[in-house]
Amino acid sequence: MDFTPSPRTLDYRKRLIAFMREHIEPAEANYQKENRRLNPDGNWREWQVPPMVSELKEKAKAAGLWNLFLPDEKLGAGLTTLEYAPLAEVMGHSLLAPEVFNCNAPDTGNMEVLYHFGTSEQQEQWLKPLLKGEIRSVFCMTEPDVASSDATNMQASIVADGDEVVIRGRKWWSTGLGHPDARFAIVMGLTDAGAAKHQRHSMVLVPLDAEGVVIERMLPAFGEYDAPYGHGEVLFDNVRVPKTNLIGGLGDGFKIAQGRLGPGRIHHCMRALGAAEKALQLFMQRGQDRVAFGKPLLQLGGNMERVADMRIAIDQARLLTFFAAWKIDQVGAMKALSEISAIKVAAPNVLQKVVDETIQLYGGAGMSHDVPLTALYAMARALRIADGPDAVHRATIAKVELAKYRDHPNVRDPA
């Protein structure tokens, strides 16, 4: 295997870094202030997007830095999963950057679903506006009344009724539900409780203005509502949509979900490692600039050793993620489940550890809005749930290892 960045990756990476330094980094502080001014109290029905975001998006389009995640040379950059991974890391240095380049969750995953599984009509109605950045979307999977760590527990229903399907149930932690540009959700729900375990569920496109869609509230994470995106709770009260809104067929939900979640986890993990690099940068900056007891903070309390440990951890997680990306490209996501599960554990935990150490070094300032550390910590801690609990991923890895041992008890095959 070869993780050497391709010429295309090197070119895009150089351009991304230059764009972020020239346009995004100078705008971030003002963006945060403007965002808090426009969205002060968590009243999501009145949330607004700071105008500078659309201005930055137009600049990104003009620079050819748009839809880089999509492996299609006409609609995106045509990069492989491994080629895109370093670019996702660059974007992870900023909380704003992924949206500016139209490479933000959950839209990337939804666009991949529509690109790979959508009909031409669905692509025309929903995919094209997403690719242009004209609208945003939501993915509804987790539910409040069941243990969603086991996705087969889903009870919200998607049932065919003539030329329509009827959606009933409640979803929560639906990311982006409060965004003023959100227009539709991809909803996953139970169709046939008597079918095989992974053929019971379906996915359907639901316009957010459809009758019976009731957005009840946004959920704060660590006291923050993440305006103007939001993580919301939504009720589907006998919502009817045309049967043509089904993605794939009835019972195809899990097959589609696996296709959605493979490359998307690479994006999440590499952005997390980019955020960890940002936190380490802030650690170094604070450690050299601040003096206590007559010495820079870096020279006190084992902080130099912490720098070394953080560098080792980030680099290890990056190589593990590159390996997972390479394997997805070679054999597909379904044959890379162990590697995908491994990075879901490794990357968010590395980010959480690095951010925690940096907050400690900053003291009270680390818990304020003066630096982005609390937002990065919330992202890390949320990823350890949103991408599935660590325990579930470890169980997947263990099952794969046990199968290898049963097949080859005396000779360990690392592949």
Side-chain angles (χ1 to χ4, degrees):
M1 64 195 72
D2 184 1
F3 299 156
T4 304
S6 71
R8 292 192 300 176
T9 295
L10 290 173
D11 176 60
Y12 276 121
R13 186 176 185 275
K14 180 180 179 180
R15 290 160 56 193
L16 274 176
I17 291 172
F19 187 97
M20 289 180 66
R21 286 177 178 169
E22 182 178 357
H23 299 293
I24 294 180
E25 290 176 9
E28 279 191 295
N30 287 334
Y31 167 78
Q32 296 298 339
K33 290 178 182 177
E34 183 70 0
N35 194 36
R36 285 192 288 272
R37 185 187 70 81
L38 291 173
N39 309 299
D41 58 2
N43 183 4
W44 63 271
R45 297 181 189 279
E46 297 180 7
W47 280 356
Q48 303 175 53
V49 181
M52 68 180 68
V53 175
S54 60
E55 296 170 6
L56 287 168
K57 285 183 174 183
E58 290 305 315
K59 291 178 180 178
K61 286 181 185 179
L65 300 173
W66 191 256
N67 294 333
L68 299 178
F69 72 95
L70 196 65
D72 184 293
E73 292 187 355
K74 292 183 178 179
L75 300 177
L79 301 174
T80 66
T81 310
L82 181 58
E83 285 181 311
Y84 176 70
L87 308 183
E89 180 178 0
V90 172
M91 295 179 207
H93 283 247
S94 163
L95 294 167
L96 176 59
E99 180 173 7
V100 169
F101 300 115
N102 213 36
C103 293
N104 48 283
D107 291 330
T108 49
N110 289 345
M111 284 188 271
E112 286 174 330
V113 165
L114 289 167
Y115 174 75
H116 289 293
F117 302 101
T119 64
S120 58
E121 292 79 9
Q122 291 170 350
Q123 291 173 351
E124 185 69 28
Q125 184 175 2
W126 304 114
L127 177 58
K128 286 187 177 180
L130 282 174
L131 288 169
K132 293 177 182 178
E134 297 172 348
I135 64 172
R136 288 199 52 136
S137 62
V138 182
F139 187 67
C140 294
M141 185 170 183
T142 305
E143 299 179 8
D145 297 325
V146 298
S148 294
S149 56
D150 178 0
T152 62
N153 280 338
M154 273 182 282
Q155 294 301 304
S157 63
I158 298 172
V159 179
D161 183 12
D163 293 333
E164 297 179 316
V165 289
V166 183
I167 303 100
R168 301 182 180 93
R170 186 181 299 274
K171 299 286 186 177
W172 74 344
W173 293 106
S174 301
T175 302
L177 192 64
H179 198 284
D181 296 331
R183 295 292 180 268
F184 74 96
I186 294 180
V187 182
M188 189 166 174
L190 180 66
T191 295
D192 183 359
K197 189 175 183 180
H198 291 99
Q199 296 174 1
R200 298 173 184 172
H201 297 80
S202 305
M203 283 192 187
V204 65
L205 294 152
V206 181
L208 293 179
D209 60 0
E211 185 177 353
V213 177
V214 183
I215 300 175
E216 296 189 334
R217 59 171 176 158
M218 294 299 127
L219 299 156
F222 292 110
E224 297 283 350
Y225 282 91
D226 193 25
Y229 309 100
H231 313 277
E233 182 170 352
V234 55
L235 172 66
F236 297 94
D237 184 9
N238 291 307
V239 177
R240 289 180 172 270
V241 298
K243 206 170 184 179
T244 53
N245 280 28
L246 280 170
I247 303 175
L250 292 169
D252 287 343
F254 267 90
K255 178 182 72 175
I256 295 168
Q258 289 299 332
R260 181 187 193 278
L261 297 178
R265 297 298 77 89
I266 301 296
H267 306 173
H268 271 309
C269 290
M270 291 305 295
R271 282 195 296 264
L273 295 176
E277 289 283 6
K278 177 66 175 181
L280 179 55
Q281 175 188 344
L282 291 170
F283 188 100
M284 298 286 290
Q285 179 181 324
R286 186 75 164 188
Q288 293 182 96
D289 292 348
R290 284 294 173 107
V291 175
F293 308 105
K295 293 182 179 181
L297 294 181
L298 273 181
Q299 297 180 23
L300 298 172
N303 284 327
M304 291 293 285
E305 288 82 0
R306 290 185 178 89
V307 169
D309 288 342
M310 288 187 282
R311 168 49 56 212
I312 292 168
I314 293 171
D315 288 350
Q316 285 177 328
R318 180 186 295 108
L319 287 172
L320 187 63
T321 308
F322 281 171
F323 175 57
W326 173 85
K327 194 160 185 180
I328 288 172
D329 288 336
Q330 296 298 312
V331 298
M334 290 303 295
K335 293 184 180 180
L337 290 180
S338 180
E339 291 76 17
I340 293 170
S341 294
I343 64 172
K344 287 181 182 180
V345 174
N349 275 280
V350 166
L351 174 57
Q352 184 176 327
K353 176 64 174 175
V354 174
V355 173
D356 187 66
E357 293 285 11
T358 307
I359 289 173
Q360 191 68 19
L361 194 71
Y362 270 76
M367 297 186 291
S368 74
H369 284 145
D370 290 354
V371 285
L373 293 171
T374 55
L376 295 180
Y377 187 90
M379 180 175 77
R381 196 62 191 83
L383 277 177
R384 293 183 56 205
I385 299 171
D387 270 1
D390 291 357
V392 172
H393 302 318
R394 290 189 172 107
T396 298
I397 297 166
K399 288 177 183 177
V400 173
E401 286 301 302
L402 184 58
K404 290 178 182 177
Y405 175 78
R406 286 170 177 162
D407 292 341
H408 305 283
N410 299 316
V411 180
R412 174 70 172 87
D413 179 3

